[in-house]
Amino acid sequence: MSSSEDRAVNAFREQIDGPIASYLSSCVHCGLCAHACLFFTETEDPRYTPINKVEPLRRVWKSEYTFFGKLASMLGVAKKVTDDLLEEWEPLIYDACTLCGRCSMVCPVGNDISYMIRKTREGMVAAGYAPDGLKGATQRAVTIGSPMGVKFPALQVQIHNVERETGLTVPVDVHGADYMALLSSMEIMNFPEYIGALAKIFDKAGVSWTLCSEAFEATNSGMQIGSSDLEGELLQRVVDGAESLGVKYVISPECGHAYYALRWEGPNVLGKKYPFQVIHILELLDQLRLKGKLKVEDKVDEKLTFHDPCQIVRKGGVVEEPRSLLSLVASDFVEMEDAGVMNWCCGAGGGVSANERAQPLKLAAFKRKKSQLEALGAGTMVTACANCRINMEEGLEENNMQIEVIGLTETLADHLA
Amino acid sequence: MGSAVEQNVRAITVADRLRAQGISRRGFLKFCASTASLMALSPAMVPAIARALENARRPSVIWLSFQECTGCTESLTRSHSPSVESLILEQVSLDYHHTLQAASGEAAELARETAMQENQGKYLLVVDGSIPVKDGGVYSTIAGITNVDMLNEVAAGAAAIIAVGSCAAFGGIGHARPNPTGAMPVSEIVTDKPIVNVSGCPPIPTVITGVLAHFLTFNKLPDLDDLGRPLAFFGQSIHDRCYRRPFYDKGLFAESFDDEGARKGWCLYRLGCKGPATYNACATTKWNQGTSFPIEAGHPCLGCSEPDFWDMGSFYRALSIPTEDTTRTLVYGVGTGAVLGAAAAAVARSRKSKAKAAHYKVSVNDLEEST
Amino acid sequence: MTSVEFLAWVRGPMFQIAVAIFVVGVVIRLIEIFALGRKADLSEPRGGETMPGIVTVFRRSIPDPGTFKRSPFTIVLGYLFHIGLFITILFFVPHIELFHDVLGVQWPGLPTPLVDAVAIISIFAMLAILVNRLRNPVLRFLSNGEDYVVWAATLLPLVTGYFAFHRMLFPYQTMLGLHILSVEILLILFPFTKLMHFFTSFVARWYNGAAFGRRGVQS
């Protein structure tokens, strides 16, 4: 395949399916999706209207998958996908979309726009049109094993620290354990307390678990950049690790897109079902709570709220679990406006956090979360995604807001009976 | 006819004749007033009408019947009791009308020619029936003269033409598909004379006398609509003047001819009433000396005063129903669409398979940073 | 062509041509969508697809409160003209007669003054929709020629129908003919334009609801 245009067009051809054809046939240009997208609401730039972001994909659908579009392309009046178009659209597709899926919830004709943007990225990356930051992260993930360049020795250091602090053993490469826990490199580097929290909770609850030295990284830059090939390559490592240890479950960490990639896209990208089950850490914790194996000795007294990570809640279906867990550990839990499946994105998902070019836009988009928080007046915000957490800490600092951001799993571990 | 005696008779005014018939002055004025109101003229015009009618000399009228059923003549002459309207008709000098005249054969044709010569440029020409023009017009001849030739000949010297009935006005049943005789209305053959179309199958007698009264009063033809019909009678639709209209507005319809709705006198739209698209005075002047009109008798309006009403689909199907078989089009359309759609889908699927076969595997080498 | 010949043409052959283009085009486009299909999803489902899909088909007719608060104008106008079109098309008795003839089913109509009032509301809603499209920055940005053509093609049957009913502008046969012709233009444009959403939005909503439902979220 020669030109970048051809590679993009061919990838779009591969991706277009019945749902996409029905979505693109249905759009009436009502513009309502714009008001569901924080990149539009915080900038009022109409180019950020979600449906506009799929234009390259739409052109291929129109000219190649519709009878009348084919007639138009035979007559030479169809709009073509060109390098200029791809270049122009690259920032719209990568910088101004976190794949949060909020637009998919409001479209009156039912278009799953974030699904289409995800598919559009397949063609963009095939043609080489992806942001440098995300390219670098993906390259590191594939070649080194982690987008942040974290290797197992670095993890070993953190494990050692955790074991020293907690006096517990963090099991590594234990064959026949029930659960294999994955981590995100942000947790390894920035929030190692997550590892300690797992050790404490699982110890109390008697959960048989392990880490895997060959497959500890859960994040998947391949999915964010939109390449099923690279996404599959990264996922295969997890599958191989889990198979080699013979675990029954793989635990997705508090990381949104890692869960979505592993839980929902993985088997489809790899073309086969897993020999194990994928469970999000919050799902597992809530199961333990229901079994009475998760008890707290005291509660957080100050007013706290919960930020819904898009990929876990709206797009992942883990909606009630964090709420049940929070009512276990917090006495003054308040919901922010639009909480739950309609909550607003932190502004940095979908690869935006790895994309330096998108920094100003990301900070602009954070204004949405800022106003949600200001309306609430809570001093603490709990979340369940390391990427959301880092981004919100950065955003709060930028806006001089004194709100503490904490992870749900650590909060539970801290108050364990 | 056409003698000195006839000239004397013609000198007698309409008013004289009416008095001789026993119509009182009061009755005459009442007729003038109702004519004015029918013609939508101001009441101030009544004395003018009366004066004009009183002093009018009998105009010569030549009545040509072509491809027709005589229903129009029947409508005009079949009054159960003599009316002022019918008397007005009697006041004209009907010099040629092959149904009504006593003369026949050459004498009849001579009467026509004489009337034409004596009143050249002044006589009124009344036509009923359509004019067949196909194959040289051979499908209808009178005394060996084709209708089209006779019309052209007589129209040449007429002051004005009144096309009576839907056949003369619009071609009528002769003109209905497939129109085997090439039937045409008067207006398509004669284009250089004022023509009034008094359409209807048959037309309302009052409308003809009204037009005559107008001609006698003002010596010109009344205001016409875009189809050449006198606006005073054809200005409003049957639907708009229909006494069943409130039922239409309330959504109350007879669904069949013997259901409760029909007995209660509800709207006949669903039974095919063409009233909304039909302009005529039936609902106001009514028929049979003001007794009723078809809708009052429980039958939907056929739309007989409109052009080509024979070709507007069934009389018993609503106006909004297309005239052709849409269900068949729908079924064939689905079939054709399915075939074309399957072909288009096959092309699309093969395109997608080919794209998958030609999949470009993205590798780290593709992640070279652009700068 | 006289007004009556025109009316006979639009009620006769032209109507069949329009219906044929409409049906053939719509069937082609629907088959194209369904033939592309979906690959079987290999991930382990958390919830069902069918029911959430059906729920979304209905639920998407109601905006979520946040979206309503942010775009009340677009949503209210959208409701007004969609409901208006629905009532005028389906509950005006002459239209019911047409459906009865073509599809063999009929239903009770509404009183004409009511349909008349609804038509007026719809016409004004359509005019406001154009103003909104021209003034709202997002809508202006998104709009292309097709959006304006479809807008006009949707408004014309309402306006010509209103004029015909009230015997305005032209003689009734001409106006009725124009009304039917405008509907035929709408039918002909249908398979080529976003008017297809009349059919495909239900498919789209179902796919959306199924995709989210599988992951345990009612979208």
Side-chain angles (χ1 to χ4, degrees):
Chain A
M1 197 147 315
S2 52
S3 74
S4 48
E5 288 168 10
D6 290 344
R7 291 202 298 274
V9 168
N10 197 67
F12 293 147
R13 279 186 199 136
E14 288 179 71
Q15 295 301 327
I16 291 165
D17 57 6
I20 290 179
S22 73
Y23 300 152
L24 294 172
S25 301
S26 300
C27 180
V28 292
H29 288 169
C30 72
L32 289 181
C33 54
H35 303 276
C37 177
L38 75 178
F39 290 102
F40 172 76
T41 61
E42 304 316 303
T43 64
E44 304 210 324
D45 184 340
R47 290 180 310 139
Y48 296 151
T49 303
I51 196 68
N52 179 50
K53 297 170 191 169
V54 303
E55 177 65 13
L57 183 74
R58 195 194 69 84
R59 288 194 183 179
V60 172
W61 163 76
K62 182 94 181 166
S63 62
E64 304 201 10
Y65 287 111
T66 68
F67 186 81
F68 305 112
K70 268 181 293 214
L71 290 183
S73 48
M74 277 179 210
L75 297 171
V77 293
K79 285 184 176 170
K80 287 203 172 85
V81 171
T82 61
D83 276 312
D84 286 345
L85 178 83
L86 296 174
E87 196 178 335
E88 194 186 338
W89 252 258
E90 186 202 302
L92 303 183
I93 292 167
Y94 286 103
D95 303 18
C97 177
T98 59
L99 300 175
C100 82
R102 210 171 178 281
C103 49
S104 301
M105 298 292 286
V106 307
C107 173
V109 295
N111 288 354
D112 189 348
I113 303 170
S114 91
Y115 175 80
M116 290 194 279
I117 296 177
R118 166 68 185 82
K119 298 289 193 183
T120 307
R121 288 189 180 183
E122 294 278 349
M124 299 299 288
V125 66
Y129 290 98
D132 285 344
L134 195 48
K135 277 180 177 174
T138 311
Q139 212 169 21
R140 285 189 296 279
V142 175
T143 53
I144 303 173
S146 147
M148 293 172 78
V150 179
K151 291 185 179 179
F152 186 65
L155 175 58
Q156 271 180 310
V157 172
Q158 298 288 33
I159 288 172
H160 185 70
N161 291 341
V162 164
E163 286 181 333
R164 202 181 51 214
E165 276 170 35
T166 60
L168 297 167
T169 310
V170 175
V172 177
D173 294 337
V174 178
H175 283 261
D178 288 341
Y179 292 90
M180 178 176 108
L182 297 177
L183 304 166
S184 77
S185 39
M186 271 191 207
E187 280 156 349
I188 300 168
M189 300 312 290
N190 302 59
F191 311 114
E193 54 269 32
Y194 174 74
I195 306 170
L198 288 187
K200 281 197 255 180
I201 294 169
F202 291 164
D203 178 61
K204 280 269 163 63
V207 172
S208 143
W209 73 294
T210 183
L211 289 173
C212 176
S213 60
E214 295 297 318
F216 56 86
E217 176 64 78
T219 63
N220 198 319
S221 305
M223 174 190 134
Q224 293 177 323
I225 205 165
S227 164
S228 298
D229 293 327
L230 299 175
E231 181 183 9
E233 197 173 331
L234 297 173
L235 283 163
Q236 190 61 49
R237 293 173 189 173
V238 173
V239 173
D240 291 344
E243 279 185 326
S244 71
L245 294 178
V247 297
K248 294 182 194 131
Y249 299 93
V250 170
I251 307 170
S252 167
E254 283 195 351
C255 170
H257 84 272
Y259 176 64
Y260 193 82
L262 189 64
R263 176 72 173 87
W264 301 114
E265 290 200 353
N268 298 310
V269 166
L270 296 173
K272 61 173 190 284
K273 294 188 175 178
Y274 295 144
F276 51 82
Q277 279 190 351
V278 174
I279 187 167
H280 190 265
I281 181 64
L282 296 185
E283 290 181 282
L284 176 57
L285 293 178
D286 199 46
Q287 283 175 13
L288 296 176
R289 179 188 65 85
L290 287 168
K291 285 182 194 156
K293 291 180 177 177
L294 186 69
K295 292 205 172 78
V296 292
E297 57 178 8
D298 59 345
K299 291 193 177 193
V300 183
D301 290 331
E302 71 240 55
K303 191 173 175 182
L304 61 73
T305 186
F306 181 68
H307 162 76
D308 295 273
C310 310
Q311 307 295 324
I312 293 170
V313 180
R314 175 164 44 245
K315 287 179 76 179
V318 184
V319 186
E320 292 311 317
E321 289 86 345
R323 279 144 183 108
S324 309
L325 292 167
L326 274 168
S327 29
L328 183 72
V329 75
S331 55
D332 191 10
F333 167 50
V334 286
E335 293 276 23
M336 58 180 81
E337 199 189 2
D338 296 321
V341 295
M342 288 306 287
N343 211 333
W344 295 85
C345 180
C346 67
V352 171
S353 57
N355 175 2
E356 292 89 0
R357 187 181 62 197
Q359 291 303 302
L361 190 55
K362 187 185 82 172
L363 280 172
F366 185 76
K367 284 187 291 177
R368 174 54 44 180
K369 192 54 65 185
K370 178 174 173 257
S371 56
Q372 275 184 298
L373 290 170
E374 280 168 349
L376 206 60
T380 305
M381 173 161 56
V382 182
T383 190
C385 168
N387 190 56
C388 296
R389 193 169 160 184
I390 286 233
N391 179 58
M392 290 191 295
E393 282 176 350
E394 195 185 315
L396 291 167
E397 196 181 308
E398 190 79 20
N399 290 287
N400 295 316
M401 291 170 76
Q402 304 301 317
I403 293 174
E404 198 192 352
V405 187
I406 54 175
L408 181 48
T409 309
E410 297 109 85
T411 311
L412 281 163
D414 288 348
H415 297 268
L416 220 51
Chain B
M1 286 201 243
S3 60
V5 179
E6 177 63 22
Q7 292 292 323
N8 287 338
V9 172
R10 202 162 286 166
I12 299 168
T13 66
V14 173
D16 296 337
R17 294 281 297 209
L18 287 172
R19 272 191 288 281
Q21 296 279 343
I23 306 285
S24 68
R25 171 88 190 149
R26 184 183 175 153
F28 173 67
L29 285 176
K30 206 174 144 196
F31 164 75
C32 294
S34 68
T35 300
S37 112
L38 277 170
M39 301 291 292
L41 298 171
S42 145
M45 294 303 292
V46 174
I49 295 172
R51 205 162 40 246
L53 288 182
E54 278 175 331
N55 299 323
R57 295 292 183 272
R58 299 178 73 205
S60 170
V61 172
I62 297 175
W63 185 303
L64 298 177
S65 296
F66 296 139
Q67 203 164 238
E68 48 87 42
C69 69
T70 316
C72 299
T73 302
E74 289 280 325
S75 163
L76 284 166
T77 55
R78 268 206 167 205
S79 305
H80 286 272
S81 60
S83 66
V84 181
E85 290 91 327
S86 67
L87 288 173
I88 274 288
L89 261 184
E90 287 167 19
Q91 304 324 308
V92 299
S93 173
L94 199 48
D95 293 331
Y96 179 84
H97 185 307
H98 66 202
T99 307
L100 300 180
Q101 68 198 359
S104 64
E106 286 177 6
E109 295 312 306
L110 186 65
R112 176 173 62 81
E113 280 159 22
T114 309
M116 284 165 62
Q117 280 163 16
E118 288 180 357
N119 302 289
Q120 189 67 25
K122 286 181 288 186
Y123 59 86
L124 267 180
L125 170 58
V126 179
V127 179
D128 67 337
S130 60
I131 302 97
V133 298
K134 201 173 163 191
D135 301 327
V138 297
Y139 297 107
S140 179
T141 61
I142 298 163
I145 307 166
T146 65
N147 291 169
V148 63
D149 286 348
M150 189 180 284
L151 174 63
N152 279 327
E153 187 194 341
V154 181
I161 303 173
I162 304 177
V164 169
S166 290
C167 291
F170 305 128
I173 194 166
H175 188 261
R177 284 198 297 263
N179 191 0
T181 65
M184 278 187 166
V186 173
S187 56
E188 282 183 39
I189 293 165
V190 181
T191 50
D192 57 351
K193 294 281 172 185
I195 299 172
V196 184
N197 287 328
V198 181
S199 63
C201 188
I204 302 171
T206 318
V207 179
I208 300 177
T209 53
V211 172
L212 284 173
H214 192 282
F215 187 73
L216 293 173
T217 306
F218 302 106
N219 206 25
K220 62 171 183 159
L221 296 173
D223 289 341
L224 306 177
D225 70 2
D226 66 325
L227 291 170
R229 301 178 296 193
L231 260 179
F233 297 100
F234 293 88
Q236 279 178 310
S237 73
I238 300 293
H239 186 60
D240 287 342
R241 300 306 300 264
C242 181
Y243 75 106
R244 296 196 188 208
R245 176 64 184 267
F247 296 111
Y248 174 88
D249 287 334
K250 280 184 210 147
L252 298 173
F253 295 89
E255 309 279 340
S256 75
F257 283 105
D258 56 357
D259 72 353
E260 205 200 340
R263 279 192 290 277
K264 284 186 173 166
W266 290 354
C267 177
L268 301 169
Y269 184 89
R270 289 189 143 163
L271 291 172
C273 185
K274 304 297 185 290
T278 305
Y279 289 79
N280 206 342
C282 302
T284 40
T285 61
K286 304 198 175 174
W287 290 80
N288 302 325
Q289 282 74 55
T291 306
S292 68
F293 71 113
I295 291 171
E296 233 174 324
H299 194 280
C301 169
L302 304 182
C304 75
S305 59
E306 296 302 316
D308 296 329
F309 73 100
W310 298 100
D311 293 335
M312 288 292 163
S314 166
F315 291 154
Y316 301 102
R317 278 153 59 97
L319 181 64
S320 58
I321 295 176
T323 47
E324 292 174 24
D325 186 351
T326 315
T327 312
R328 193 185 55 192
T329 307
L330 213 60
V331 171
Y332 286 170
V334 169
T336 312
V339 171
L340 291 174
V347 172
R349 288 172 77 110
S350 100
R351 189 180 292 264
K352 191 169 169 176
S353 310
K354 273 186 205 151
K356 284 197 164 159
H359 175 74
Y360 175 79
K361 197 166 185 344
V362 177
S363 72
V364 278
N365 301 326
D366 295 300
L367 303 178
E368 293 304 322
E369 299 184 10
S370 50
T371 42
Chain C
M1 192 186 263
T2 65
S3 59
V4 170
E5 282 165 355
F6 172 62
L7 181 61
W9 178 67
V10 294
R11 287 181 69 208
M14 190 54 207
F15 190 79
Q16 303 306 315
I17 291 168
V19 167
I21 292 174
F22 168 77
V23 176
V24 171
V26 165
V27 170
I28 288 176
R29 291 210 49 188
L30 290 178
I31 289 178
E32 278 174 341
I33 290 170
F34 291 119
L36 277 170
R38 283 189 305 169
K39 252 191 0 195
D41 193 326
L42 299 173
S43 67
E44 196 178 313
R46 176 182 281 122
E49 292 198 342
T50 313
M51 272 318 290
I54 293 168
V55 170
T56 300
V57 166
F58 291 99
R59 226 172 82 148
R60 277 303 159 99
S61 298
I62 301 154
D64 79 282
T67 303
F68 183 78
K69 218 163 63 191
R70 273 178 288 275
S71 319
F73 202 52
T74 305
I75 290 169
V76 168
L77 290 176
Y79 266 119
L80 279 179
F81 101 88
H82 275 99
I83 293 171
L85 279 179
F86 182 76
I87 290 175
T88 48
I89 292 172
L90 290 184
F91 293 100
F92 185 50
V93 169
H95 298 165
I96 297 173
E97 282 303 303
L98 169 66
F99 288 112
H100 185 207
D101 176 64
V102 178
L103 303 173
V105 285
Q106 63 175 335
W107 49 86
L110 285 173
T112 49
L114 186 65
V115 177
D116 190 36
V118 170
I120 277 285
I121 292 169
S122 308
I123 289 169
F124 280 103
M126 285 295 288
L127 294 173
I129 275 168
L130 180 67
V131 173
N132 193 32
R133 197 169 268 289
L134 291 168
R135 291 181 49 140
N136 181 306
V138 172
L139 288 169
R140 200 174 51 229
F141 171 79
L142 284 180
S143 301
N144 53 26
E146 181 188 319
D147 292 308
Y148 296 105
V149 168
V150 167
W151 174 84
T154 310
L155 178 65
L156 275 178
L158 276 169
V159 171
T160 53
Y162 183 83
F163 283 175
F165 180 77
H166 290 281
R167 287 149 206 288
M168 290 156 77
L169 211 61
F170 294 119
Y172 183 72
Q173 283 96 339
T174 310
M175 209 63 234
L176 180 64
L178 287 172
H179 174 60
I180 297 172
L181 181 67
S182 69
V183 172
E184 288 161 355
I185 290 170
L186 191 71
L187 286 173
I188 290 169
L189 286 175
F190 202 100
F192 301 95
T193 58
K194 65 174 183 175
L195 288 166
M196 275 301 289
H197 81 277
F198 178 81
F199 295 106
T200 59
S201 63
F202 298 103
V203 183
R205 286 176 179 187
W206 188 86
Y207 276 134
N208 182 317
F212 275 86
R214 183 183 180 83
R215 302 194 294 261
V217 171
Q218 181 62 61
S219 67

